[in-house]
Amino acid sequence: MRLLRAVSNVPGLVLLVDTTELLGPLDRWLREDLLPALGADTIAVFAGREPPTVAWRTDPGWRGLLHSVRLNNLSDQESRALLDRRGVPREAHDRVVEFTRGHPLALALVADVTEQGGDDLTVENDPALVRALLGVLIESVPSPRHRAALEICAQVLTTTEPLLAAVLGVDDAHDVFSWLTGLSIVESGRRGLFPHDLARDALSAELRWRHPDQHASIHQRAGAFYRDRFYAVSPSAQQQVLVDYVFLHRESSVLGPFVTSSVGSGLDLRSLVTVAVTPDDDPSARAARAMVAAAEGEEAADLLDYWLSRQPGSAVQVVGRDGDRLGLSVTLSLRDVTDEDRVRDPAVAAVATHLATLPPLGENDAALMCRFWMAKDGYQDLGPVQMFLTLHFGRTYLATRSLAQSYLYYADPQLWAGVCAYYDMQRLPAADFVVGNRRYGVYGLSLIHI
């Protein structure tokens, strides 16, 4: 009380309180006794891993005085300034900033490692740094089961109770799921839980270094969960299951750059949806034509109009959260192609000719061609919309019963060679085609015929 009386009379007092998450038992005393006793010109700053409690936000006396600010990571410029002050060599700044993503604590830890003589500051090659990050970012883990839950959360895009139970091999994972929600490094979203990017990288690297078999087991169990779930959910939900499944492969040498370019783009794949494109004068059709004309020319845009009228259910657009049309995909049924269609479109003529060299389709077999696919920005380069479209192809193929053959074209077939090989798609030079003086390369996937 003597201290309280002393500080209550200090003019212009600034009170700084750190690590407030440890002051839970004192929360009411701070709110009702300490702060009201201080001078009217006092400024109190509380810093912690958790936001103010509900009592602070709903108390009529404090609601108008409280200003809650969430501190984000430092910018690149701020990160470099911190590294400069701590004596980290400037030639290391690029990789340190990329690794830490501006997390102040991680930047400070990197500086500590540098002062100790460390010179390789990547997560993958410095287990000591990983352990240091985990030791600071993560509070003590109650049990091996809780640690396993945290490791699973780091491997998957979003964590739900059913996924956690399936990967842990238990019937009920509510207790560890609830524990995860209380961690400051884990955030809650519309579809589940996800860790801070830095924590995800550190946990994944530490597990891959410490227990590679466990790392692989999580991937196998999560992959099995997604495969089972794909056929159990509605068609509209299947796309997101594919996003989750592909995220598991972000460390693959083939798919890694593809996934990374999407996740790090600032565009949340989980916010994208597909909507049907209808013909005639509909705004969606006009937007689709403009997209094709800009990327492939007017001749290609005329072919799009043709196929919208011939197979009106074949086209979808990728739409973002704000309603922007970001991409386009048109998938044709080759069983419904006529001689007139082959004459009209060189692309369809080429793949139909190749299809004729294979054993005849069975009565219920299907054959598909992705006739157009592109992002409004970036066309067919690696990126989030392109990745989303690739997942859309996968969903279409999985959902098409008795699919015997599929075709996909690329303006730059070499760029996608690794990804196509990963999915056993074969390069088919004989099916390449030319539209508007531009040559396109074709890949094919046989699912029934050999």
Side-chain angles (χ1 to χ4, degrees):
M1 293 301 294
R2 182 180 301 173
L3 176 62
L4 182 57
R5 286 194 297 270
V7 299
S8 64
N9 296 320
V10 176
L13 176 68
V14 177
L15 177 65
L16 303 177
V17 182
D18 197 6
T19 324
T20 56
E21 68 270 11
L22 302 180
L23 302 179
L26 300 177
D27 185 79
R28 183 173 181 179
W29 176 78
L30 290 169
R31 189 175 65 254
E32 297 182 1
D33 296 318
L34 175 62
L35 294 184
L38 301 180
D41 60 347
T42 297
I43 296 177
V45 181
F46 292 82
R49 295 186 176 186
E50 305 296 336
T53 62
V54 174
W56 285 95
R57 302 195 301 268
T58 58
D59 187 299
W62 286 113
R63 191 166 49 200
L65 299 174
L66 181 68
H67 182 50
S68 180
V69 177
R70 177 169 181 165
L71 298 180
N72 295 316
N73 289 2
L74 301 180
S75 67
D76 284 2
Q77 182 178 0
E78 293 166 336
S79 298
R80 295 174 195 280
L82 187 152
L83 294 173
D84 261 339
R85 292 173 185 173
R86 293 294 303 272
V88 177
R90 291 194 173 183
E91 58 269 21
H93 286 193
D94 286 346
R95 54 197 171 104
V96 171
V97 172
E98 180 180 4
F99 154 55
T100 62
R101 296 183 176 88
H103 192 285
L105 186 56
L107 289 165
L109 283 168
V110 167
D112 289 341
V113 171
T114 301
E115 290 176 356
Q116 298 299 319
D119 58 357
D120 190 348
L121 304 175
T122 60
V123 173
E124 293 80 359
N125 297 328
D126 196 341
L129 177 57
V130 172
R131 289 196 298 272
L133 287 170
L134 292 177
V136 178
L137 291 175
I138 304 169
E139 301 296 340
S140 58
V141 177
S143 72
R145 187 170 183 236
H146 289 78
R147 181 58 183 255
L150 189 55
E151 291 167 347
I152 292 166
C153 186
Q155 302 302 317
V156 300
L157 184 58
T158 50
T159 300
T160 62
E161 276 194 37
L163 180 143
L164 203 55
V167 181
L168 287 172
V170 298
D171 293 331
D172 186 358
H174 179 71
D175 58 335
V176 287
F177 183 85
S178 297
W179 172 77
L180 285 173
T181 63
L183 295 179
S184 59
I185 60 168
V186 175
E187 300 183 40
S188 299
R190 182 174 57 86
R191 299 186 58 251
L193 306 178
F194 55 95
H196 185 285
D197 285 344
L198 175 63
R200 184 193 294 281
D201 289 349
L203 281 164
S204 182
E206 194 270 346
L207 180 62
R208 194 167 58 248
W209 165 80
R210 175 177 55 82
H211 201 326
D213 290 344
Q214 175 68 7
H215 185 272
S217 177
I218 290 175
H219 278 231
Q220 292 167 358
R221 289 173 176 264
F225 174 84
Y226 293 136
R227 287 191 293 272
D228 291 343
R229 184 165 175 75
F230 180 85
Y231 293 104
V233 300
S234 65
S236 61
Q238 288 176 338
Q239 184 76 43
Q240 186 56 59
V241 178
L242 286 171
V243 171
D244 293 334
Y245 182 80
V246 169
F247 185 79
L248 281 176
H249 299 275
R250 66 191 182 281
E251 295 168 358
S252 160
S253 60
V254 173
L255 295 184
F258 187 33
V259 178
T260 301
S261 66
S262 301
V263 174
S265 67
L267 180 62
D268 188 352
L269 290 175
R270 292 163 290 188
S271 70
L272 304 181
V273 297
T274 54
V275 297
V277 178
T278 55
D280 304 324
D281 196 32
D282 186 90
S284 64
R286 294 199 303 271
R289 179 185 172 87
M291 203 178 299
V292 172
E296 298 185 358
E298 288 296 328
E299 185 176 340
D302 290 342
L303 289 171
L304 171 69
D305 291 341
Y306 177 81
W307 287 114
L308 288 179
S309 63
R310 288 284 295 121
Q311 295 192 22
S314 62
V316 296
Q317 282 180 329
V318 180
V319 177
R321 181 176 292 156
D322 56 2
D324 286 349
R325 295 178 172 93
L326 304 175
L328 171 72
S329 172
V330 178
T331 304
L332 304 178
S333 169
L334 295 176
R335 289 199 72 114
D336 300 323
V337 165
T338 65
D339 290 340
E340 179 185 355
D341 295 333
R342 295 186 184 92
V343 172
R344 183 71 177 82
D345 190 346
V348 169
V351 298
T353 299
H354 178 270
L355 185 62
T357 67
L358 302 175
L361 296 176
E363 182 179 354
N364 297 316
D365 288 349
L368 301 177
M369 179 190 183
C370 180
R371 178 58 190 90
F372 294 98
W373 79 275
M374 64 194 66
K376 181 180 179 181
D377 298 322
Y379 185 43
Q380 294 180 352
D381 293 338
L382 302 182
V385 177
Q386 293 86 337
M387 178 179 176
F388 186 84
L389 286 169
T390 301
L391 297 175
H392 174 72
F393 304 153
R395 171 187 167 188
T396 300
Y397 297 157
L398 286 172
T400 302
R401 299 293 183 182
S402 300
L403 179 60
Q405 185 73 24
S406 63
Y407 298 92
L408 189 59
Y409 82 102
Y410 298 95
D412 184 357
Q414 188 57 39
L415 175 65
W416 293 84
V419 175
C420 290
Y422 190 87
Y423 288 110
D424 294 327
M425 297 187 72
Q426 304 298 311
R427 181 74 172 89
L428 304 174
D432 291 356
F433 61 92
V434 176
V435 172
N437 297 320
R438 186 175 186 179
R439 188 172 186 83
Y440 299 90
V442 174
Y443 284 83
L445 177 64
S446 292
L447 301 177
I448 295 178
H449 301 307
I450 299 177

